């Protein structure tokens, strides 16, 4: 090595600086690495509980409701802004598809709404099994814009597509001894993977008094926003009872039975102190764990007061005349 | 603990663990802020922020309560060096969680909030946990340890366990049917508490033995 190419002694980094810089680099590297591990681990824990807005998968093709008879104008509406389709189809309680609000939209693909049959039984003159596509042709489809109030104190306004439950009940010929109608959701963990977890006793069941079921507002929905129901909304057939909390609106129905005694209702059976059989929307009767006096309309910042019977008191209050609604909530 | 004078050279674990825990703990909060800004909090963003902050506060609180057990079990000293950072992250996240409830969820309607806090065990317990954390946050400085004396300070800061248990019950009462997550976090907290109790019992037995030996 020539003399020239050797660094002058002044150019040599003092050893103290050199090891100091190495130490500094090591500190920065270790800090960044450990921060990423710790922050990543906590963020991962957070994502287990996070509910976001999953992509809504719309089926292609003409859709199962095409070619069916439809009434052109809505037969019932409310003068309130409708909740956007995106919100209606990504914020759902359908524990059969997962307990997070975004789970049903994400997993809806596992639920196959065809082929589908509905078993009709109990106190009826004509027990039978009806194919969903036959059932859909029994009545003209109509649109109804209803408020939907969840027992968790949030609400939406949804344009449903379907037919009055009263028409269906009449067609199914209940015997005069029948006083209630019971509904049952599909039991199939392959299609409804949430049923592998026993968060609730499966299948989900619900029921109405027959006079409630035949009230003109009680509705069977097969679609919303003009298209067939997606899995997360309870395809292909669900109940909508606008004056009751949302959990009464049983989804993906496979059986309808008429009974003489009050049928089991899933949430009522799971926690009778918290969820009544009637489950009429009532700002006066709080859930034991939270107030029902107000609600958040999805898409709005403030809370709005909750109305008795969800604003349908004029139509339905008579059904409960003389009943103590505080006790039979 | 090695002092600077005795080991001026060489990187101590806590030198990098301390900033790592600080910056790492900011990450989930930053991610939540990003979700808020990009509108990916879903259809009910207020509920989502509230839920996420509550869960995050509980995770920080449990992490801060894991520091001493880690020292007991493995003889590590660095976890104790990050305990205060984690505790303060827990406090401020839970405080933020409460303010989201108070301001965004309830719209500062004090009547309903007072009724919630007073009448609903679910909210009473959560609020109690936050209140318990206030004196701990206030006395989190080194000066406070001196002022109170190490023994009294330690006794006071055992309240963090009470706050943790209240937080778990608050979470448990919040879910409608699926209790998997609160049970999971509750089990971790229970295990940490067990380590402390076993350690305490062992030290007491040792002390009693020493005393007996001294007397004999």
């Amino acid at each position: 090595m020539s003399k020239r190419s050797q660094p002058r002694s002044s150019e040599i980094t003092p050893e103290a600086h050199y090891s100091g810089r190495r130490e500094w680099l090591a500190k920065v590297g270790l800090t960044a690495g450990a921060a990423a591990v710790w922050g990543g681990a906590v963020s991962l824990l957070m994502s287990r509980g996070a509910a976001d807005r999953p992509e809504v998968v719309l089926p292609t093709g003409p859709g199962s409701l095409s070619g069916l008879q439809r009434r052109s104008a809505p037969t019932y509406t409310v003068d309130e802004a409708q909740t956007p389709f995106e919100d209606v189809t990504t914020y759902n309680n359908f524990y059969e598809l997962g307990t997070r609000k975004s789970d049903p939209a994400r997993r809806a693909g596992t639920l196959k709404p065809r082929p589908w049959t509905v078993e009709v039984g109990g106190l009826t003159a004509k027990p039978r099994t009806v194919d969903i596509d036959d059932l859909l042709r029994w009545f003209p489809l109509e649109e109804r814009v209803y408020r939907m109030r969840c027992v968790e104190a949030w609400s939406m306004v949804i344009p449903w597509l379907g037919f009055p439950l009263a028409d269906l009940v009449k067609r199914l010929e209940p015997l005069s001894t029948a006083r209630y109608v019971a509904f049952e959701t599909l039991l199939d963990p392959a299609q409804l993977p949430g049923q592998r977890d026993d968060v609730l006793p499966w299948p989900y069941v619900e029921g109405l008094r027959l006079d409630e079921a035949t009230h003109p507002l009680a509705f069977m929905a097969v679609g919303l926003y003009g298209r067939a129901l997606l899995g997360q909304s309870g395809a292909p057939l669900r109940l909508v009872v606008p004056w009751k909390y949302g959990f009464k609106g049983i989804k993906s129905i496979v059986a309808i039975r008429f009974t003489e005694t009050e049928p089991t209702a899933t949430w009522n059976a799971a926690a009778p102190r918290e969820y009544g059989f009637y489950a009429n929307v009532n700002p006066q009767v709080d859930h034991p764990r939270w107030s029902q006096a107000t609600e958040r309309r999805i898409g709005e910042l403030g809370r709005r007061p909750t109305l008795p019977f969800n604003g349908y008191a004029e139509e339905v209050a008579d059904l409960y005349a003389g009943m103590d609604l505080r006790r039979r909530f | 603990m090695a002092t600077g004078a005795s080991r001026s050279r060489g990187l101590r674990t806590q030198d990098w663990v301390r900033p790592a825990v600080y910056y790492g703990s900011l990450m989930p909060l930053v991610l939540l802020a990003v979700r808020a800004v990009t509108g990916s909090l879903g259809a009910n963003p207020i509920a989502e922020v509230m839920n996420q902050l509550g869960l995050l506060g509980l995770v920080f609180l449990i992490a801060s309560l894991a520091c001493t057990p880690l020292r007991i079990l493995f003889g590590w000293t660095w976890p104790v060096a990050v305990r205060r950072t984690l505790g303060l992250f827990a406090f401020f996240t839970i405080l933020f969680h409460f303010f989201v409830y108070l301001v965004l969820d309830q719209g500062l309607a004090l009547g309903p909030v007072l009724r919630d806090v007073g009448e609903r065990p679910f909210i009473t317990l959560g609020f109690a946990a936050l209140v318990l954390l206030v004196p701990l946050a206030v006395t989190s400085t080194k000066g406070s340890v001196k002022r109170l004396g190490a023994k009294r300070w330690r006794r006071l800061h055992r309240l963090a366990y009470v706050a943790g248990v209240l937080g778990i019950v608050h979470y448990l009462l919040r879910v409608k049917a699926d209790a998997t997550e609160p049970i999971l976090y509750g089990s971790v907290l229970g295990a940490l508490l067990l380590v402390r109790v076993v350690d305490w019992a062992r030290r007491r037995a040792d002390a009693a033995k020493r005393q007996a030996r001294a007397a004999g």
Side-chain angles (χ1 to χ4, degrees), chain A residues 40 67 72 107 182 302:
Chain A
S72 53
R107 299 189 186 165

Side-chain angles (χ1 to χ4, degrees), chain B residues 113 179 194:
Chain B
V113 168
L194 190 68

